[in-house]
Amino acid sequence: MLLIKNGFIISNNALVKKDILIKNDKILKIEDEINEEAEIIDAKGLLVMPGAVDVHVHFREPGFTYKENISSGSKAAAKGGFTDVMTMPNLNPCPNDLKTWQEEQRLIVENGVINIYPYMTISEDELGEKISDFDNLHNYCYAASDDGHGVNNLVLLEEACKLALKYNMVIASHAETKEGRQLPCGEYDAVRREIEIAKRVGCRYHFCHLSTKESFEAVRQAKKEGYRNITCEAAPHHLVLNSSMIKDANWKMNPPLRGEDDRLETVRALVDGTVDVVATDHAPHAVSEKSKPYSECPNGIIGIETSLPIIYTNFVKTGVISLDRFLDLMVYNPINVFSLPKHGMYVGSTASLTALDIKNLHTYLGREILSLSQNCPYIGEKYYGFPKFTICNGKIVYHN
Ligand code: DOR
């Protein structure tokens, strides 16, 4: 048994001191004081919360293990306080069908230290030409995405939506038109036309990493009209960085950093409930790739070790969002939007949790990074809320 002593949990929007007893993979007790024979973990002064859930990460295996692999990515996630992640399918081979999915799943079972739920592709190899094998993969995947590419074949997209509806899966859209590419209109034109498809078909439709005022406005409007099947995410970088801050390729991602107006609109959407989940788009790339000239180097930054501290420091500690909203954005909404296996801070729950040091500022250093890649704009920055330990399914998967 594991006994977590003297931590604070979030209860009705407030911090309350509790001890937590874990037996095997379940929470057995949560009480003011527990004294039992068990391995004790000191959580004095720490915020103990359910393990965070990131629905948008790139772990690069199979195919690009010089950037990241399932072992390194999942260890980085555990260090960042995440116990459950969904891995994007822009791999080699891409999980298009049973055979390719099995290849990824075998690596996950062998090497993952947390719960990993792989996306399947929407179209084979994300080429937008031939629909992927929903008929088989719906048994194993919660969602499909062609992340990295907008689906511009709208006939295929609508067919995928119908299959998603049939199988109760989520379509996760990297919304981008071919003509507009990374321009703001490239995103919001795609969002607008895809909302029409999602309304018509009625499937669960989730927009990845939205970054413009108009995109959030379109989702806000759809929600106002009652379309609860339409959801969206915001990434930490779009919430705290803008285009005027770009220094080098470690500030380059897709969608790109926008102007300050769009950043403020992203924050507004976070606050008013338009944003359902915070997701990192953790996208590792090797130094050799990111040191190419800016226009030639690949899009993406790592973010899974800094997501909780960034959101806690910028939005919770400052009172912009409540503790309960923090939990919804980082844990409960991701689980609900994608119908993932549940966990939470209650007796009987799967014991997946993390403990954040919310009292002390910590400077994030390159040498502590567990990801295989270092493409990160936050190195040298100070935040509250870095995890001290993470427990997944009753096992300690990170302890600092
Ligand atoms: O910045 C990004 N990186 N955006 C994407 O859509 C893809 C991702 C990647 O795979 O590197």
Side-chain angles (χ1 to χ4, degrees):
M1 291 202 290
L2 280 175
L3 177 54
I4 302 169
K5 290 289 285 181
N6 298 316
F8 290 89
I9 68 166
I10 298 171
S11 175
N12 294 322
N13 238 343
L15 294 176
V16 185
K17 195 157 159 284
K18 293 281 180 190
D19 291 350
I20 302 164
L21 185 65
I22 294 170
K23 187 176 179 189
N24 301 324
D25 62 342
K26 294 280 190 294
I27 297 179
L28 191 63
K29 287 182 186 175
I30 303 175
E31 290 170 12
D32 291 351
E33 186 163 354
I34 303 172
N35 292 301
E36 296 222 18
E37 199 67 32
E39 180 186 343
I40 291 177
I41 309 179
D42 181 22
K44 190 156 182 270
L46 305 180
L47 163 57
V48 185
M49 63 178 272
V53 181
D54 192 341
V55 301
H56 193 139
V57 303
H58 298 269
F59 282 178
R60 308 296 193 205
E61 190 176 9
F64 306 95
T65 50
Y66 63 97
K67 301 175 194 257
E68 191 78 288
N69 58 51
I70 288 163
S71 170
S72 63
S74 64
K75 284 176 187 158
K79 176 174 185 287
F82 289 85
T83 55
D84 297 68
V85 299
M86 297 180 72
T87 48
M88 281 298 175
N90 50 345
L91 302 167
N92 187 14
C94 294
N96 300 321
D97 54 23
L98 206 50
K99 183 167 170 285
T100 44
W101 172 81
Q102 276 166 344
E103 193 167 335
E104 184 182 358
Q105 184 60 22
R106 181 181 60 77
L107 294 163
I108 288 171
V109 171
E110 273 173 22
N111 303 311
V113 305
I114 58 165
N115 300 314
I116 300 175
Y117 309 108
Y119 281 89
M120 63 175 287
T121 52
I122 294 172
S123 67
E124 283 189 6
D125 298 336
E126 303 198 342
L127 295 173
E129 289 164 7
K130 191 160 178 283
I131 197 145
S132 298
D133 186 3
F134 283 76
D135 291 333
N136 276 307
L137 289 187
H138 78 91
N139 290 308
Y140 307 103
C141 297
Y142 294 90
S145 180
D146 275 2
D147 186 61
H149 305 98
V151 180
N152 279 263
N153 178 344
L154 299 182
V155 175
L156 180 143
L157 184 59
E158 184 145 350
E159 193 184 336
C161 285
K162 287 178 183 159
L163 289 167
L165 179 71
K166 176 175 173 188
Y167 294 128
N168 195 20
M169 293 173 74
V170 178
I171 297 290
S173 165
H174 174 120
E176 190 175 316
T177 65
K178 207 165 42 205
E179 315 78 57
R181 283 267 186 71
Q182 298 185 14
L183 294 171
C185 67
E187 179 182 290
Y188 63 72
D189 284 344
V191 168
R192 286 171 181 164
R193 75 186 182 192
E194 290 174 26
I195 282 178
E196 293 313 310
I197 297 175
K199 284 181 179 176
R200 198 159 56 236
V201 177
C203 65
R204 295 156 71 197
Y205 205 93
H206 178 77
F207 288 101
C208 300
H209 45 50
L210 292 186
S211 64
T212 71
K213 175 184 175 178
E214 292 83 354
S215 300
F216 289 117
E217 193 46 48
V219 172
R220 184 179 287 123
Q221 184 57 32
K223 288 185 171 192
K224 237 183 235 160
E225 291 166 20
Y227 289 98
R228 298 190 55 187
N229 56 320
I230 295 170
T231 56
C232 74
E233 74 195 29
H237 45 268
H238 292 128
L239 287 160
V240 299
L241 305 176
N242 68 35
S243 54
S244 78
M245 301 171 181
I246 296 172
K247 293 202 184 105
D248 58 37
N250 290 337
W251 278 255
K252 183 182 177 188
M253 73 291 288
N254 186 26
L257 295 176
R258 310 287 188 191
E260 178 63 2
D261 288 356
D262 279 323
R263 186 190 74 81
L264 290 172
E265 286 293 329
T266 309
V267 174
R268 182 159 83 91
L270 185 85
V271 173
D272 78 2
T274 303
V275 169
D276 296 277
V277 313
V278 169
T280 61
D281 196 4
H282 175 78
H285 293 290
V287 178
S288 58
E289 298 170 309
K290 278 294 203 179
S291 53
K292 287 183 186 160
Y294 191 85
S295 61
E296 289 166 35
C297 69
N299 291 306
I301 61 168
I302 60 167
I304 203 151
E305 298 178 27
T306 47
S307 180
L308 283 170
I310 286 174
I311 301 301
Y312 182 84
T313 304
N314 285 281
F315 303 110
V316 183
K317 197 170 166 61
T318 52
V320 174
I321 62 171
S322 68
L323 288 164
D324 277 352
R325 177 85 175 128
F326 179 56
L327 288 186
D328 283 343
L329 288 163
M330 307 308 299
V331 185
Y332 296 123
N333 291 352
I335 290 173
N336 290 334
V337 168
F338 287 86
S339 302
L340 301 177
K342 287 189 196 310
H343 66 269
M345 194 55 73
Y346 55 90
V347 170
S349 167
T350 297
S352 287
L353 47 86
T354 188
L356 313 186
D357 181 359
I358 55 173
K359 295 265 152 63
N360 298 295
L361 274 171
H362 169 74
T363 306
Y364 187 56
L365 298 174
R367 64 167 184 265
E368 74 184 83
I369 293 177
L370 294 186
S371 171
L372 283 189
S373 293
Q374 301 243 336
N375 50 316
C376 178
Y378 311 118
I379 293 172
E381 296 294 325
K382 291 185 173 67
Y383 304 104
Y384 294 95
F386 278 95
K388 282 279 179 199
F389 62 83
T390 302
I391 293 171
C392 181
N393 308 329
K395 280 205 212 87
I396 301 170
V397 288
Y398 171 74
H399 202 165
N400 174 359

